[in-house]
Amino acid sequence: MSMMRIARAANCVSRSRLKVTSCFISHHSLKKAYKVSQVQFKSSIKIPRPIKSQRCDFHTSERRNIPPVLALVIRPIIRIAALLFGRRFKKWYASRTPEEKEEFLEWFRSRRKYFLGGIGLYFFSLFLYYISHLEYDPLTKRSQFIMLNKEQREQLAKITFETHLKDFESILLPKTHPTYSRLLRVTAKLINANRDLPSFKDKRWTLTVVDSPKKNAYVLPGGNIFVFLGVLQMVENDDQLAIVLAHEMAHAVLNHSYEQVSRGVITELILALPIAITWAIFPDLLAGFLLLLGQSIIDVFHTLPYSRALETEADTVGLLIAAKACTDIREAVVFWGTMRTLTDLKIEPNQVPWLSTHPDHGDREKRLNSLLAEALQYRHKIGCPMLSDVDPRKSFYQRTQQEQVARLKQRGVIPS
């Protein structure tokens, strides 16, 4: 994915025979809003309305969107229902006499074309449902399968946010805390600089800080930013913090959560028939083994590569978000270089790349470094201040391993 291609999409430039319409980046004042353990950001400057991109949705009929609550529980329901149906049929067939079994097989053979036609119709209906729920993303220039409409996404986002708030309500950092103010400053800068991006201004951005040593930060699909204090130990400065947050915000802006939920449901619907047939034909122990083997194959060749692709996409768009906020995006390479160093030192677990949901730290470091020239050019083009002549990447790569370890110990990342 080209950084400049995404940058051009972010600028919302649309040309026609009649006119040229552009969306320019605006600098916004930072305004605090209040809410328990969270903050919403509002701009004091009116944002130009982004140009509507051409959509490649294909609708054979009116969209049939799945209820948001059902989307959360339907996957296990489908799998369990298929398992129970298959086992129930197997027990029923085993209880028949040889004559009854032969009679049933003869009945099935005589109607085989109807069964095959029904199966074909089922999968064709899933295909039509899939293509009728494709949505075009103007940033990434690709189509996404999402089975939730705007209202249902908002409902699901609200449910998810309330659940997460309840989980951490006893360990939320007060907004009067200095660390909260620091995070507020960084997130506000990112949000105000990117409100003109597609899907960005529609989010109800909030900030929640969790007083926990857990090294984590994420953004819920509705734009609810959660930061655990432990993640601050992993970043060396506010630029690296902005890089991490921009990556997580990219997931929300690109609707990755809704896409993952939707793909999970359609995958379960596709697998329901094979699961039922497996439990109907094979003994329970063998059926369980075959399904476990099949799930492992699906994970290795589909689910995990898809997850890594979304992470890579969020890295690219996150770099753009950070660049639009005039962050020193060279720190992205330093951050992932540090994560690679921690893996090399066995401080962080070293996962097998093709069995992981995330790309290898070293691969992310190299890829972001390859995108940096275009991203820096874009940053300069939108009028950001000049960066320091001291490139943090050069300083990072010039350090020996012993110097890296000493520096990490000084920061408390590695125990002394």
Side-chain angles (χ1 to χ4, degrees):
M1 187 185 305
S2 169
M3 170 62 66
M4 292 306 293
R5 188 182 72 183
I6 293 180
R8 285 194 295 269
N11 283 331
C12 307
V13 178
S14 176
R15 292 181 173 83
S16 68
R17 289 180 298 176
L18 299 178
K19 61 181 179 178
V20 178
T21 310
S22 301
C23 293
F24 298 101
I25 298 167
S26 301
H27 293 279
H28 304 275
S29 60
L30 306 183
K31 287 194 173 183
K32 292 185 180 179
Y34 57 90
K35 206 170 185 181
V36 178
S37 71
Q38 54 193 309
V39 63
Q40 294 182 346
F41 303 98
K42 296 184 178 179
S43 171
S44 61
I45 298 179
K46 187 175 180 180
I47 306 300
R49 193 178 287 272
I51 303 305
K52 291 184 178 179
S53 301
Q54 181 182 359
R55 300 173 65 86
C56 61
D57 300 355
F58 173 74
H59 299 293
T60 54
S61 61
E62 183 183 355
R63 281 178 61 118
R64 301 296 179 185
N65 299 292
I66 186 171
V69 176
L70 182 59
L72 297 176
V73 299
I74 194 172
R75 293 186 64 184
I77 291 176
I78 294 172
R79 184 158 296 208
I80 293 172
L83 183 154
L84 293 177
F85 177 82
R87 293 187 79 247
R88 186 177 181 83
F89 175 83
K90 179 168 57 183
K91 287 185 177 181
W92 173 85
Y93 186 78
S95 65
R96 303 297 96 182
T97 64
E99 293 77 14
E100 290 174 327
K101 290 180 179 178
E102 184 59 34
E103 183 180 350
F104 170 78
L105 290 175
E106 184 61 32
W107 174 85
F108 177 79
R109 292 189 194 100
S110 65
R111 293 165 174 79
R112 180 170 52 190
K113 61 181 180 181
Y114 298 109
F115 283 100
L116 293 176
I119 293 173
L121 181 61
Y122 173 74
F123 284 112
F124 183 66
S125 299
L126 290 180
F127 172 72
L128 289 181
Y129 186 84
Y130 178 85
I131 62 176
S132 68
H133 288 72
L134 290 176
E135 297 184 2
Y136 176 76
D137 188 279
L139 271 181
T140 61
K141 305 295 185 184
R142 72 176 179 89
S143 296
Q144 298 172 288
F145 170 66
I146 300 179
M147 56 172 51
L148 299 168
N149 61 28
K150 184 177 179 180
E151 292 73 21
Q152 291 169 335
R153 294 176 206 181
E154 290 176 354
Q155 292 176 32
L156 184 58
K158 182 180 178 182
I159 293 171
T160 307
F161 182 39
E162 290 174 349
T163 301
H164 282 250
L165 272 184
K166 189 172 182 179
D167 289 342
F168 303 120
E169 61 182 349
S170 62
I171 53 172
L172 295 180
L173 197 72
K175 56 184 181 179
T176 55
H177 196 282
T179 300
Y180 192 96
S181 299
R182 175 193 176 191
L183 287 162
L184 173 60
R185 183 176 64 254
V186 174
T187 52
K189 184 179 179 182
L190 290 168
I191 291 167
N192 285 331
N194 287 275
R195 282 188 180 274
D196 59 333
L197 285 183
S199 300
F200 213 99
K201 68 183 184 66
D202 297 330
K203 302 293 181 184
R204 296 179 60 87
W205 296 101
T206 67
L207 172 65
T208 303
V209 184
V210 183
D211 188 1
S212 166
K214 189 175 182 181
K215 299 177 178 64
N216 195 18
Y218 56 84
V219 180
L220 298 178
N224 313 112
I225 304 166
F226 279 75
V227 181
F228 294 72
L229 289 184
V231 78
L232 298 179
Q233 192 179 49
M234 306 301 294
V235 296
E236 199 167 0
N237 48 55
D238 284 357
D239 289 313
Q240 290 187 16
L241 177 60
I243 293 294
V244 172
L245 293 177
H247 167 87
E248 299 301 334
M249 292 165 76
H251 280 303
V253 171
L254 298 174
N255 293 315
H256 283 169
S257 295
Y258 300 129
E259 185 180 1
Q260 286 180 306
V261 168
S262 301
R263 286 175 66 106
V265 172
I266 202 74
T267 300
E268 291 298 335
L269 289 171
I270 292 172
L271 294 176
L273 189 59
I275 290 174
I277 293 175
T278 301
W279 282 103
I281 295 177
F282 298 101
D284 288 355
L285 189 61
L286 180 57
F289 171 76
L290 290 175
L291 290 177
L292 182 62
L293 178 63
Q295 185 62 57
S296 299
I297 293 174
I298 292 172
D299 287 343
V300 170
F301 291 101
H302 171 69
T303 307
L304 294 176
Y306 165 68
S307 177
R308 292 193 294 271
L310 293 188
E311 291 296 328
T312 299
E313 191 172 81
D315 277 346
T316 304
V317 176
L319 194 64
L320 168 69
I321 291 172
K324 280 172 66 67
C326 296
T327 302
D328 187 348
I329 51 178
R330 299 173 298 184
E331 291 286 359
V333 178
V334 178
F335 175 78
W336 288 111
T338 301
M339 296 300 295
R340 171 187 53 78
T341 301
L342 290 171
T343 301
D344 294 340
L345 295 172
K346 311 299 182 185
I347 305 299
E348 290 292 316
N350 187 13
Q351 297 179 327
V352 180
W354 55 277
L355 291 177
S356 175
T357 57
H358 289 60
D360 178 74
H361 296 328
D363 292 339
R364 297 175 88 164
E365 174 190 2
K366 293 175 183 176
R367 186 175 181 279
L368 286 169
N369 206 19
S370 69
L371 293 173
L372 214 54
E374 291 184 45
L376 287 169
Q377 182 182 352
Y378 173 72
R379 184 185 180 280
H380 174 71
K381 183 179 179 181
I382 62 176
C384 288
M386 294 291 293
L387 292 172
S388 168
D389 292 336
V390 180
D391 192 331
R393 294 173 296 173
K394 184 176 180 181
S395 301
F396 175 79
Y397 290 124
Q398 284 179 341
R399 298 185 197 120
T400 65
Q401 189 177 75
Q402 290 76 17
E403 290 173 333
Q404 297 280 22
V405 170
R407 194 178 182 91
L408 291 169
K409 286 183 177 179
Q410 186 180 19
R411 288 168 48 193
V413 179
I414 299 178
S416 299

